[in-house]
């Protein structure tokens, strides 16, 4: 089998000199470090997460908190995918200032993003990466640069504003209503295949949209989400009209109908 030579890494040479005279002084009592410019504040508020699934089953998730992670079959990889369709060191993801780039490491079966083979690709929210039998969905979490908590009060949502191009418009789009907290009364449509809800580092879950309906799955945190007062367990829990979800101190009602 012919093996492609890996092209040299492309480097973004964006290192422009900053004029120190333009940096405002910090107020007395601060730590003396120069404040971040606005662009860096925006980048610091973005964090990626990979949701790993096989078929309809979510099997793991990884927050992209390291600058570089590797994905492969061998157990020393940050994301270990145990199947012969995956190379020992299959791909890497490098994250700088909230921007994540996936690169194939000369794998035998290749890396695909949204159905297209790639060697190097900058990931966008809801991109789907296929590696062997595994599917990794890339989600963007918006994180407060001051506290590390996701924005939008006690419950935060990955952007769900864009309707999927292949969405079956005859299928009812569910939504969740927040019943307490700063955003009491607001609603979020569950238009994406996967929507992340919760506080990073406290409690995170995802609601996945499948042909069979909507399912809630626990991802992160010491306690499990509650549905109608009962813990959902570690598997995917089907949601029904009117279900009450308790997550990270916030009550939400799942609505499938208007």
């Amino acid at each position: 089998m012919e093996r492609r030579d890996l092209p040299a890494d492309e480097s973004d040479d964006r290192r422009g000199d900053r004029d120190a005279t333009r940096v405002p002084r910090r107020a007395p009592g601060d730590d003396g470090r120069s404040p971040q410019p606005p662009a860096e504040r925006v980048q610091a508020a973005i964090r990626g997460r990979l949701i790993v699934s096989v078929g309809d089953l979510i099997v793991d998730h990884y927050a992209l908190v390291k600058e570089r992670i590797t994905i492969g079959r061998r157990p020393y990889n940050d994301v270990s995918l145990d199947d012969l369709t995956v190379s020992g060191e299959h791909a890497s993801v490098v994250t700088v200032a909230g921007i994540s780039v996936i690169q194939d490491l000369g794998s035998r079966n290749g890396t695909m993003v949204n159905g297209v083979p790639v060697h190097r690709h900058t990931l966008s929210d809801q991109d789907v990466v296929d590696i062997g039998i595994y599917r990794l969905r890339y989600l963007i979490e918006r994180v407060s640069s001051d506290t590390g908590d996701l924005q939008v009060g006690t419950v935060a949502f990955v952007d769900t504003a864009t309707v999927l191009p292949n969405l079956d418009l005859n299928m009812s789009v569910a939504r969740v209503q927040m019943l307490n907290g700063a955003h009491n009364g607001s609603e979020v449509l569950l238009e994406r295949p996967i929507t992340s809800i919760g506080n990073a580092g406290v409690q995170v879950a995802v609601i996945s949209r499948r042909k069979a309906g909507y399912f809630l799955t626990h991802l992160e945190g010491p306690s499990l989400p509650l549905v109608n007062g009962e813990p959902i367990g570690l598997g995917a829990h089907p949601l029904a009209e009117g279900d009450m979800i308790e997550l990270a101190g916030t009550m939400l009602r799942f609505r499938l109908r208007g």
Side-chain angles (χ1 to χ4, degrees), residues 25-69:
R25 294 179 179 271
R26 295 179 69 91
D30 286 348
D31 59 8
R33 293 178 297 179
S34 298
Q36 292 178 320
E40 289 183 77
R41 288 198 189 103
V42 172
Q43 291 171 345
I46 299 297
R47 186 179 76 177
R49 184 183 293 271
L50 294 173
I51 309 297
V52 183
S53 61
V54 178
D56 284 337
L57 178 64
I58 294 175
V59 295
D60 217 334
H61 67 100
Y62 300 88
L64 300 179
V65 295
K66 294 173 58 177
E67 182 173 326
R68 183 179 187 270
I69 69 166

Side-chain angles (χ1 to χ4, degrees), residues 216-218 224-225 230-237:
L216 179 69
T217 304
H218 173 71
L224 297 171
E230 297 293 333
I232 65 170
L234 297 177
H237 182 89

Side-chain angles (χ1 to χ4, degrees), residues 234-245:
L234 297 177
H237 182 89
L239 293 172
E241 164 66 21
D243 276 351
M244 296 290 294
I245 303 169

Side-chain angles (χ1 to χ4, degrees), residues 1-248:
M1 180 176 178
E2 185 179 351
R3 184 186 183 90
R4 293 184 293 111
D5 290 331
L6 295 179
D9 289 343
E10 300 174 9
S11 62
D12 294 331
D13 189 8
R14 302 182 218 170
R15 293 171 294 177
D17 293 335
R18 295 180 182 172
D19 185 353
T21 62
R22 296 184 181 179
V23 178
R25 294 179 179 271
R26 295 179 69 91
D30 286 348
D31 59 8
R33 293 178 297 179
S34 298
Q36 292 178 320
E40 289 183 77
R41 288 198 189 103
V42 172
Q43 291 171 345
I46 299 297
R47 186 179 76 177
R49 184 183 293 271
L50 294 173
I51 309 297
V52 183
S53 61
V54 178
D56 284 337
L57 178 64
I58 294 175
V59 295
D60 217 334
H61 67 100
Y62 300 88
L64 300 179
V65 295
K66 294 173 58 177
E67 182 173 326
R68 183 179 187 270
I69 69 166
T70 59
I71 304 169
R73 189 180 69 253
R74 302 192 188 283
Y76 56 73
N77 289 283
D78 300 284
V79 181
S80 181
L81 306 177
D82 187 15
D83 190 82
L84 291 177
T85 59
V86 181
S87 295
E89 293 182 4
H90 198 107
S92 67
V93 178
V94 174
T95 302
V96 177
I99 298 174
S100 296
V101 177
I102 190 167
Q103 180 165 340
D104 186 84
L105 299 179
S107 65
R108 184 177 183 85
N109 291 321
T111 300
M112 301 181 73
V113 178
N114 302 326
V116 178
V118 299
H119 168 63
R120 190 170 186 268
H121 178 84
T122 300
L123 294 169
S124 300
D125 186 31
Q126 296 286 337
D127 272 353
V128 174
V129 180
D130 287 313
I131 293 179
I133 67 170
Y134 293 90
R135 173 157 289 184
L136 294 78
R137 186 175 294 275
Y138 175 75
L139 302 182
I140 287 179
E141 299 173 337
R142 285 157 179 84
V143 182
S144 166
S145 58
D146 294 325
T147 66
D149 292 334
L150 292 180
Q151 295 175 339
V152 194
T154 57
V155 174
F157 297 84
V158 173
D159 182 14
T160 57
T162 304
V163 177
L164 293 173
N166 297 324
L167 186 65
D168 181 359
L169 297 179
N170 294 321
M171 179 181 178
S172 297
V173 177
R175 65 188 189 277
V176 288
Q177 301 172 324
M178 285 187 270
L179 303 179
N180 64 344
H183 298 273
N184 183 19
S186 61
E187 296 184 349
V188 173
L189 291 177
L190 303 174
E191 297 172 315
R192 301 272 184 149
I194 294 179
T195 301
S196 173
I197 59 176
N199 288 340
V202 179
Q203 192 176 27
V204 178
V206 293
I207 297 177
S208 55
R209 184 182 184 190
R210 309 176 188 172
K211 291 182 179 179
Y214 290 83
F215 295 80
L216 179 69
T217 304
H218 173 71
L219 286 188
E220 180 180 316
S223 59
L224 297 171
L226 305 180
V227 173
N228 300 325
E230 297 293 333
I232 65 170
L234 297 177
H237 182 89
L239 293 172
E241 164 66 21
D243 276 351
M244 296 290 294
I245 303 169
E246 184 175 349
L247 181 76

